[in-house]
Amino acid sequence: YDGVVIEANVNNGALVRPGQRMGEFINTEVYELALSVNAAFANDLRVGKKVHLNNLEKTIEATGKVVRIGGKIDSTSQTIEVYVELQGNQLKEGMYLEANLFARNVVNAFEISRKLLINKESVFVLKDSVLALTSVTPIYFKEKTIIVKGLENGLKLVSKPILGAFEGMPVKELNAIK
């Protein structure tokens, strides 16, 4: 085997019992990354699908492929485990990576700030100089944004959260103020 010992739990000459964990040995050529993917995309996932990965600083990029898909949906998070195999000289065990996995095209969807989402199901829009709540369906959560369905082209979406906002609250458009 070619690799590195990353954990040794037994000293030289020590008594070893059956079933005792002696340490951990890893292959530094190929890594496996477990991802939690929204269960709504479970039917769109396929073994062999390409996954683009990068570190949090976006200085290291790698490409992997889906090698296994878990058979169970986590009931608390409604996610399914997807296992990606990847290689790269710059990769290290324990490194944080972000994964971009293309699952499907979503038509009539908009990307908005996560701060605008109210109770995980609606956003404020401007209708006739008053705030109105409009229901949306969250499709995909990113770090600072969310992709939602249910908004129509031409709606005037509130661009920043308003402290104490409520439905029917009179407001003025910022670009309409003179």
Side-chain angles (χ1 to χ4, degrees), residues 118-157:
I118 315 272
N119 296 329
K120 300 180 182 178
E121 63 184 27
S122 55
V123 293
F124 278 117
V125 295
L126 184 63
K127 288 186 180 176
D128 300 324
S129 299
V130 296
L131 290 180
L133 276 175
T134 299
S135 294
V136 294
T137 305
I139 302 295
Y140 179 72
F141 289 86
K142 292 184 175 183
E143 185 177 349
K144 294 183 180 179
T145 61
I146 181 172
I147 297 175
V148 297
K149 284 186 75 158
L151 293 174
E152 299 173 15
N153 276 330
L155 275 180
K156 294 181 180 179
L157 182 66

Side-chain angles (χ1 to χ4, degrees), residues 18-102:
Q20 179 180 348
R21 183 181 168 107
M22 297 175 63
E24 189 171 347
F25 182 80
I26 62 166
N27 180 355
T28 56
E29 299 293 320
V30 179
Y31 293 94
E32 187 172 88
L33 175 67
L35 304 173
S36 294
V37 177
N38 188 322
F41 297 112
N43 293 332
D44 300 317
L45 298 171
R46 300 281 180 263
V47 171
K49 191 168 259 208
K50 294 253 186 254
V51 180
H52 299 284
L53 303 117
N54 55 271
N55 65 345
L56 300 178
E57 296 80 25
K58 309 255 190 283
T59 57
I60 298 173
E61 291 185 5
T63 302
K65 68 176 180 177
V66 175
V67 291
R68 287 192 330 270
I69 299 170
K72 177 183 168 195
I73 294 174
D74 184 326
S75 61
T76 57
S77 64
Q78 288 299 291
T79 59
I80 190 166
E81 289 289 311
V82 176
Y83 299 90
V84 176
E85 186 178 275
L86 59 148
Q87 299 177 12
N89 295 339
Q90 297 177 312
L91 300 174
K92 301 288 182 218
E93 180 75 18
M95 179 182 282
Y96 284 107
L97 296 174
E98 292 179 335
N100 293 306
L101 175 65
F102 180 78

